[in-house]
Amino acid sequence: MKLILTTFLTLDGVYQAPGGPEEDPSGGFEHGGWSVPYGDEDFGRFMTDVIGRADAFLLGRRTYEIFASYWPKVTDPANPIATRLNELPKYVPTGTLASADWANTKLLGGDLAEEVAALKEQDGHELQIHGSGALAGALLRLGLIDTMHLLTFPVAVGSGKRLFVPGVQPTAFTLTESRATATGVVLNSYERLGAPTYGSY
C-alpha cells in the first residue's frame, strides 16, 4: 500500500487544532478551529473522495482519540466517511495507550519505521494518515510518505505546531493535482519522487 497523508495547514504552515479550540491547546495555542469557517461543499466532496479510497488508516494517538470520541457514534450507513472510518482497520503507534475500544483498531508499540514498512507491504492501495501531525512529521523524517494531500487554508495564525520542521528528510515531490474550493482552500496533491536535485542560477 502507498502511505498517503492528508493534512490541513494554515498559510504559515501550522497544523495544530484545525477543528476546534479543545483539540490541542498545548503550548498555549489560542487559535483552535481555524479551518472551520472554510468547510464548504467543495471541501466536503474532496474529503469524501479521499477517504473513499482508503484501505486502512494510520493515526497518531491524539487524532485517534479525537476520532474515536466522535465517529463510532455516527451510525448512519449512508454517511460515507463514518462508514469507512468505523469499518476499516485502524493502526495507532503509541507508547501511552494500553487499549483501544474503537472496532478494528490495533495498537503498534514497536519500531515505527519497521511497523509502518510492514503495513505498507500488506495488500491494498492506500494506507491513509489524517492529521496526526507529530506522526506525519516523524514519517516524513523517515522518508516513508508516498503521497501528500496538503489542504492550505487562507489564514495565518502566527504560532503553533508545524508539519515541516528541521530534520525532515530532503525530498522532491511532483505536483499531481491542484485546485481551490469556493472558500479559498487550496487542495494540492504531491507524489514523492526521491532525493532533490540542485542547480545554480
Side-chain angles (χ1 to χ4, degrees):
M1 289 189 286
K2 281 189 171 183
L3 185 56
I4 315 292
L5 169 64
T6 300
T7 196
F8 305 167
L9 299 174
T10 65
L11 286 173
D12 51 343
V14 173
Y15 70 77
Q16 188 171 356
E22 73 288 346
E23 279 189 347
D24 182 7
S26 63
F29 189 65
E30 298 178 346
H31 308 288
W34 48 263
S35 77
V36 176
Y38 307 97
D40 63 358
E41 291 183 4
D42 293 338
F43 172 79
R45 278 193 295 270
F46 179 84
M47 292 305 302
T48 298
D49 289 346
V50 167
I51 289 179
R53 297 192 295 268
D55 294 290
F57 298 99
L58 179 67
L59 302 173
R61 190 265 305 166
R62 184 183 295 275
T63 298
Y64 174 80
E65 290 180 329
I66 292 169
F67 281 17
S69 70
Y70 176 77
W71 288 110
K73 301 172 187 174
V74 183
T75 57
D76 180 0
N79 186 310
I81 292 179
T83 299
R84 302 296 284 177
L85 285 169
N86 287 324
E87 293 181 354
L88 290 175
K90 293 165 284 289
Y91 301 96
V92 185
T94 178
T96 56
L97 285 182
S99 62
D101 296 329
W102 194 6
N104 304 312
T105 296
K106 180 178 180 181
L107 303 181
L108 305 178
D111 179 82
L112 180 63
E114 293 178 1
E115 297 261 30
V116 173
L119 290 176
K120 292 178 67 175
E121 290 297 318
Q122 294 184 5
D123 291 337
H125 298 288
E126 294 196 8
L127 172 63
Q128 294 188 359
I129 313 170
H130 290 270
S132 307
L135 173 62
L139 294 170
L140 283 167
R141 289 190 292 275
L142 291 168
L144 289 172
I145 292 177
D146 301 297
T147 302
M148 298 188 301
H149 302 306
L150 302 184
L151 284 60
T152 304
F153 290 71
V155 59
V157 295
S159 65
K161 298 175 182 176
R162 287 169 167 79
L163 180 64
F164 296 101
V165 297
V168 169
Q169 184 176 115
T171 306
F173 291 84
T174 185
L175 180 68
T176 58
E177 185 177 5
S178 183
R179 51 197 167 102
T181 70
T183 58
V185 181
V186 179
L187 314 173
N188 286 332
S189 298
Y190 299 90
E191 293 283 337
R192 183 179 188 274
L193 291 179
T197 56
Y198 304 96
S200 177
Y201 290 109

